[in-house]
Amino acid sequence: MPEPDHRSRPGAGAETGSPSRTGTGPEPPGPFRVRPIVTRRGPDPQQERATRTRLLVLTAAAELFTARGFRHTSVQEVADRVGMTKGAVYFHYPTKEALTVAVVEQHYARWPLLLAAVTAEGHGPLETAERLLAGAVLAFRDDILVRAGTRLQVERPQIDAELPTPYVDWTELLAGLLARAEALGELRAGIRPRAAARSLVAALFGTQHISDVLHERADIVEHWAETAELLFRAIRAD
């Protein structure tokens, strides 16, 4: 799914969470750091109407990117979908790549919000990991910007913009949570936190991809529930 500049190791994040109820002190900073992707950009909206227009354009682009991909989506099609001229779309997003980057940035902006919401619930680290992944699955199913960003990341070689490297921050986040779970005795003996984190990330993104290809993610929640039950049972201490 993970982040925006994944080539940097996660240190301080935008969301630090709230104090843990497990007695282990404050939650560590999250790894999802929002960094703008380098691209040409339109002017920042100064009025609420302009902000709403940009969101309409972005949503229309996300719908088309999700259904057709980057190569087979044109700016004209985006304009037609929102009832605008192509020039009006270019005013807000001066290139097709700028529109693509905006969708990808919105995709990654979802994860710090999810992390903050789950952290605020105050669960132990292993349950936090479970709930984060379940929340990501819902986003893959329900959030068009997450869905579009996921497809665009797969199509990175076709896009003339340096998009973030996916998966890395999700792995870092889960590895940190599982290391804390190990310290609290929540993990089965012999489980290596980072290896388990890599497996969870592979399972998450593999599940969403298979569900997308076969059923347009209509069954992703049920399939992830089956996968998560198996994986977390394997790593959880008896």
Coordinates of all heavy atoms in Angstrom, one line a residue, residues 22-73:
T22 N -0.3 1.1 27.9 CA 0.4 -0.1 28.3 C 1.6 0.1 29.2 O 2.2 -0.8 29.6 CB 0.9 -0.8 27.0 OG1 1.9 0.0 26.4 CG2 -0.2 -1.1 26.0
G23 N 1.8 1.4 29.6 CA 2.9 1.6 30.5 C 4.3 1.7 29.9 O 5.3 1.7 30.6
T24 N 4.3 1.8 28.6 CA 5.6 1.8 27.9 C 6.0 3.2 27.5 O 7.0 3.4 26.7 CB 5.6 0.9 26.7 OG1 4.6 1.3 25.8 CG2 5.4 -0.5 27.1
G25 N 5.3 4.3 27.9 CA 5.6 5.6 27.6 C 5.0 6.1 26.3 O 4.1 5.3 25.7
P26 N 5.3 7.3 25.8 CA 4.6 7.8 24.6 C 4.9 6.9 23.4 O 5.9 6.3 23.3 CB 5.2 9.2 24.5 CG 5.8 9.5 25.8 CD 6.2 8.2 26.4
E27 N 3.9 6.9 22.5 CA 4.2 6.2 21.2 C 5.3 6.8 20.5 O 5.5 8.0 20.5 CB 2.9 6.3 20.4 CG 1.7 5.6 21.0 CD 1.8 4.1 20.8 OE1 2.6 3.6 20.0 OE2 1.2 3.3 21.6
P28 N 6.1 6.0 19.8 CA 7.2 6.6 19.0 C 6.6 7.4 17.8 O 5.5 7.1 17.4 CB 7.9 5.4 18.5 CG 6.9 4.3 18.5 CD 6.0 4.6 19.7
P29 N 7.4 8.3 17.3 CA 6.9 9.1 16.1 C 6.6 8.2 15.0 O 7.2 7.2 14.8 CB 8.1 10.0 15.8 CG 8.9 10.1 17.1 CD 8.8 8.8 17.7
G30 N 5.5 8.6 14.2 CA 5.2 7.8 13.1 C 6.1 8.0 11.9 O 6.7 9.0 11.8
P31 N 6.2 7.0 11.0 CA 7.1 7.2 9.9 C 6.5 7.9 8.7 O 7.3 8.2 7.8 CB 7.4 5.7 9.5 CG 6.1 5.0 9.9 CD 5.6 5.7 11.1
F32 N 5.3 8.2 8.7 CA 4.6 8.7 7.5 C 4.9 10.2 7.4 O 4.1 11.0 8.0 CB 3.1 8.4 7.5 CG 2.8 7.0 7.5 CD1 2.1 6.4 8.5 CD2 3.3 6.1 6.4 CE1 1.8 5.0 8.5 CE2 3.0 4.8 6.4 CZ 2.3 4.2 7.5
R33 N 5.9 10.6 6.8 CA 6.2 12.1 6.7 C 5.8 12.6 5.3 O 6.2 12.1 4.3 CB 7.7 12.3 6.9 CG 8.1 11.9 8.4 CD 9.6 12.3 8.6 NE 10.4 11.4 7.8 CZ 11.8 11.5 7.7 NH1 12.3 12.5 8.4 NH2 12.5 10.7 7.0
V34 N 5.1 13.7 5.3 CA 4.6 14.2 4.1 C 5.6 15.2 3.5 O 6.0 16.2 4.1 CB 3.2 15.0 4.3 CG1 2.8 15.6 3.0 CG2 2.2 14.0 4.8
R35 N 6.1 14.8 2.3 CA 7.1 15.7 1.6 C 6.6 15.9 0.2 O 6.3 14.9 -0.5 CB 8.5 15.0 1.6 CG 9.1 14.9 3.0 CD 10.5 14.4 2.9 NE 11.2 14.3 4.2 CZ 12.4 13.8 4.3 NH1 13.1 13.4 3.3 NH2 12.9 13.8 5.5
P36 N 6.5 17.1 -0.2 CA 5.9 17.3 -1.6 C 6.9 16.7 -2.6 O 8.1 16.7 -2.5 CB 5.9 18.9 -1.7 CG 5.9 19.4 -0.3 CD 6.7 18.4 0.5
I37 N 6.2 16.1 -3.6 CA 7.0 15.6 -4.8 C 7.3 16.7 -5.7 O 6.5 17.6 -6.0 CB 6.1 14.5 -5.4 CG1 5.7 13.4 -4.4 CG2 6.8 13.9 -6.6 CD1 4.6 12.5 -4.9
V38 N 8.5 16.7 -6.3 CA 8.9 17.7 -7.2 C 8.2 17.6 -8.5 O 8.2 16.6 -9.2 CB 10.4 17.6 -7.4 CG1 10.8 18.7 -8.4 CG2 11.2 17.8 -6.1
T39 N 7.4 18.7 -8.8 CA 6.7 18.7 -10.1 C 6.2 20.2 -10.3 O 6.2 21.0 -9.3 CB 5.5 17.8 -10.1 OG1 4.9 17.7 -11.4 CG2 4.4 18.2 -9.1
R40 N 5.8 20.5 -11.5 CA 5.1 21.8 -11.7 C 3.8 21.8 -11.0 O 3.1 20.8 -11.0 CB 5.0 22.0 -13.2 CG 6.2 22.4 -14.0 CD 5.9 22.6 -15.4 NE 4.9 23.7 -15.6 CZ 4.2 23.8 -16.8 NH1 4.4 23.0 -17.8 NH2 3.4 24.8 -16.9
R41 N 3.4 22.9 -10.4 CA 2.2 23.0 -9.7 C 1.4 24.3 -10.1 O 2.0 25.3 -10.4 CB 2.4 23.0 -8.2 CG 3.0 21.7 -7.7 CD 3.3 21.7 -6.2 NE 4.0 20.5 -5.8 CZ 3.4 19.4 -5.3 NH1 2.1 19.4 -5.2 NH2 4.1 18.4 -4.9
G42 N 0.1 24.2 -10.0 CA -0.7 25.4 -10.2 C -0.7 26.3 -9.0 O -0.1 25.9 -7.9
P43 N -1.3 27.4 -9.0 CA -1.4 28.3 -7.9 C -2.2 27.7 -6.7 O -3.1 27.0 -6.9 CB -2.1 29.6 -8.4 CG -2.9 29.1 -9.6 CD -2.1 27.9 -10.2
D44 N -1.8 28.1 -5.5 CA -2.5 27.6 -4.4 C -3.9 28.3 -4.4 O -4.0 29.5 -4.6 CB -1.8 28.0 -3.1 CG -0.5 27.1 -2.9 OD1 -0.5 26.0 -3.4 OD2 0.4 27.6 -2.2
P45 N -4.9 27.6 -4.1 CA -6.3 28.2 -4.1 C -6.4 29.2 -3.0 O -6.0 28.9 -1.9 CB -7.2 27.0 -3.9 CG -6.4 25.9 -3.3 CD -5.0 26.1 -3.8
Q46 N -7.0 30.4 -3.3 CA -7.1 31.4 -2.3 C -8.6 31.5 -1.9 O -8.8 32.2 -0.9 CB -6.7 32.8 -3.0 CG -5.2 32.8 -3.4 CD -4.3 32.6 -2.3 OE1 -4.4 33.2 -1.2 NE2 -3.3 31.7 -2.5
Q47 N -9.5 30.9 -2.5 CA -10.9 31.0 -2.2 C -11.4 29.6 -2.0 O -10.9 28.6 -2.6 CB -11.7 31.7 -3.2 CG -11.2 33.1 -3.4 CD -12.0 33.8 -4.6 OE1 -12.7 33.2 -5.4 NE2 -12.0 35.1 -4.6
E48 N -12.5 29.5 -1.2 CA -13.1 28.2 -0.9 C -13.6 27.5 -2.2 O -13.5 26.3 -2.4 CB -14.3 28.3 0.0 CG -14.9 27.0 0.4 CD -16.0 27.2 1.4 OE1 -16.2 28.3 2.0 OE2 -16.8 26.2 1.6
R49 N -14.1 28.4 -3.1 CA -14.6 27.8 -4.4 C -13.5 27.2 -5.2 O -13.7 26.1 -5.8 CB -15.2 28.9 -5.2 CG -15.8 28.5 -6.6 CD -16.4 29.7 -7.3 NE -16.8 29.2 -8.7 CZ -17.3 30.1 -9.6 NH1 -17.5 31.4 -9.3 NH2 -17.7 29.6 -10.7
A50 N -12.3 27.8 -5.2 CA -11.2 27.2 -5.9 C -10.7 25.9 -5.3 O -10.4 24.9 -6.0 CB -10.0 28.2 -5.9
T51 N -10.8 25.8 -4.0 CA -10.5 24.6 -3.3 C -11.4 23.5 -3.6 O -11.0 22.3 -3.9 CB -10.5 24.8 -1.7 OG1 -9.5 25.8 -1.4 CG2 -10.1 23.6 -1.0
R52 N -12.7 23.8 -3.7 CA -13.7 22.8 -4.0 C -13.5 22.3 -5.5 O -13.6 21.1 -5.8 CB -15.1 23.4 -3.9 CG -15.5 23.6 -2.4 CD -17.1 23.7 -2.3 NE -17.6 24.8 -3.2 CZ -17.8 26.0 -2.8 NH1 -17.5 26.4 -1.5 NH2 -18.2 26.9 -3.6
T53 N -13.1 23.3 -6.4 CA -12.9 22.9 -7.8 C -11.7 22.0 -7.9 O -11.8 20.9 -8.6 CB -12.7 24.2 -8.6 OG1 -13.8 25.0 -8.5 CG2 -12.4 23.8 -10.0
R54 N -10.7 22.3 -7.2 CA -9.5 21.4 -7.2 C -9.8 20.0 -6.7 O -9.4 19.0 -7.3 CB -8.3 22.0 -6.4 CG -7.7 23.2 -7.0 CD -6.7 23.8 -6.1 NE -5.5 23.0 -5.9 CZ -4.4 23.1 -6.5 NH1 -4.2 24.0 -7.5 NH2 -3.4 22.3 -6.2
L55 N -10.7 19.9 -5.7 CA -11.0 18.6 -5.2 C -11.9 17.8 -6.2 O -11.7 16.6 -6.3 CB -11.8 18.7 -3.8 CG -12.3 17.4 -3.2 CD1 -11.1 16.5 -2.9 CD2 -13.0 17.7 -1.9
L56 N -12.8 18.5 -6.9 CA -13.6 17.9 -7.9 C -12.7 17.3 -9.0 O -12.9 16.2 -9.5 CB -14.6 18.9 -8.5 CG -15.8 19.2 -7.6 CD1 -16.6 20.3 -8.2 CD2 -16.7 18.0 -7.4
V57 N -11.7 18.1 -9.4 CA -10.8 17.7 -10.5 C -10.0 16.5 -10.0 O -9.8 15.5 -10.7 CB -9.9 18.9 -10.9 CG1 -8.8 18.4 -11.9 CG2 -10.7 20.0 -11.6
L58 N -9.5 16.6 -8.8 CA -8.7 15.5 -8.3 C -9.5 14.2 -8.1 O -9.0 13.1 -8.5 CB -8.1 15.9 -6.9 CG -6.8 15.3 -6.4 CD1 -5.7 15.6 -7.4 CD2 -6.5 15.8 -5.1
T59 N -10.7 14.3 -7.7 CA -11.5 13.1 -7.5 C -11.8 12.5 -8.9 O -11.8 11.3 -9.1 CB -12.8 13.5 -6.8 OG1 -12.5 14.0 -5.5 CG2 -13.7 12.2 -6.6
A60 N -12.2 13.4 -9.9 CA -12.4 12.8 -11.2 C -11.2 12.2 -11.8 O -11.3 11.1 -12.4 CB -12.9 14.0 -12.1
A61 N -10.0 12.8 -11.6 CA -8.8 12.1 -12.1 C -8.6 10.8 -11.4 O -8.2 9.8 -12.0 CB -7.6 13.1 -11.8
A62 N -8.8 10.8 -10.1 CA -8.6 9.5 -9.3 C -9.5 8.4 -9.8 O -9.1 7.3 -10.0 CB -8.9 9.8 -7.8
E63 N -10.8 8.8 -10.1 CA -11.7 7.8 -10.7 C -11.2 7.2 -12.0 O -11.3 6.0 -12.2 CB -13.1 8.4 -10.8 CG -13.8 8.7 -9.5 CD -15.0 9.6 -9.6 OE1 -15.2 10.1 -10.8 OE2 -15.7 9.8 -8.7
L64 N -10.7 8.1 -12.9 CA -10.2 7.6 -14.2 C -8.9 6.9 -14.1 O -8.7 5.8 -14.7 CB -10.1 8.9 -15.1 CG -11.4 9.5 -15.6 CD1 -11.1 10.9 -16.2 CD2 -12.1 8.6 -16.6
F65 N -8.0 7.3 -13.2 CA -6.8 6.6 -13.0 C -7.0 5.2 -12.5 O -6.4 4.2 -12.8 CB -5.8 7.4 -12.1 CG -5.2 8.6 -12.7 CD1 -5.0 9.8 -11.9 CD2 -4.7 8.6 -14.0 CE1 -4.4 10.9 -12.5 CE2 -4.1 9.7 -14.6 CZ -3.9 10.9 -13.8
T66 N -8.0 5.1 -11.5 CA -8.3 3.8 -11.0 C -8.8 2.9 -12.0 O -8.5 1.7 -12.1 CB -9.3 4.0 -9.8 OG1 -8.8 4.8 -8.8 CG2 -9.7 2.6 -9.3
A67 N -9.7 3.4 -12.9 CA -10.4 2.5 -13.9 C -9.5 2.3 -15.1 O -9.5 1.2 -15.6 CB -11.7 3.2 -14.3
R68 N -8.7 3.3 -15.5 CA -8.0 3.2 -16.8 C -6.5 3.2 -16.7 O -5.8 2.9 -17.7 CB -8.5 4.3 -17.7 CG -10.0 4.3 -18.0 CD -10.4 5.6 -18.7 NE -9.7 5.9 -19.9 CZ -9.9 5.4 -21.1 NH1 -10.9 4.5 -21.2 NH2 -9.2 5.7 -22.1
G69 N -6.0 3.7 -15.6 CA -4.5 3.8 -15.5 C -4.0 5.1 -16.0 O -4.7 5.9 -16.6
F70 N -2.7 5.4 -15.8 CA -2.1 6.7 -16.2 C -2.1 6.8 -17.7 O -2.5 7.9 -18.2 CB -0.7 6.8 -15.6 CG 0.1 8.0 -16.1 CD1 -0.1 9.2 -15.5 CD2 1.0 7.9 -17.1 CE1 0.6 10.3 -15.9 CE2 1.7 9.0 -17.5 CZ 1.5 10.2 -17.0
R71 N -1.6 5.8 -18.4 CA -1.4 6.0 -19.8 C -2.7 6.2 -20.6 O -2.7 7.0 -21.5 CB -0.7 4.7 -20.3 CG -0.4 4.7 -21.8 CD 0.4 3.5 -22.3 NE 1.7 3.5 -21.7 CZ 2.5 2.4 -21.8 NH1 2.2 1.4 -22.5 NH2 3.7 2.5 -21.2
H72 N -3.8 5.6 -20.1 CA -5.0 5.6 -20.9 C -6.0 6.7 -20.3 O -7.2 6.7 -20.7 CB -5.7 4.3 -20.9 CG -4.8 3.2 -21.5 ND1 -4.6 3.2 -22.9 CD2 -4.2 2.1 -21.0 CE1 -3.8 2.2 -23.2 NE2 -3.5 1.5 -22.1
T73 N -5.5 7.6 -19.5 CA -6.3 8.7 -19.0 C -5.7 10.0 -19.5 O -4.5 10.2 -19.4 CB -6.3 8.7 -17.5 OG1 -6.9 7.5 -17.0 CG2 -7.1 9.9 -16.9

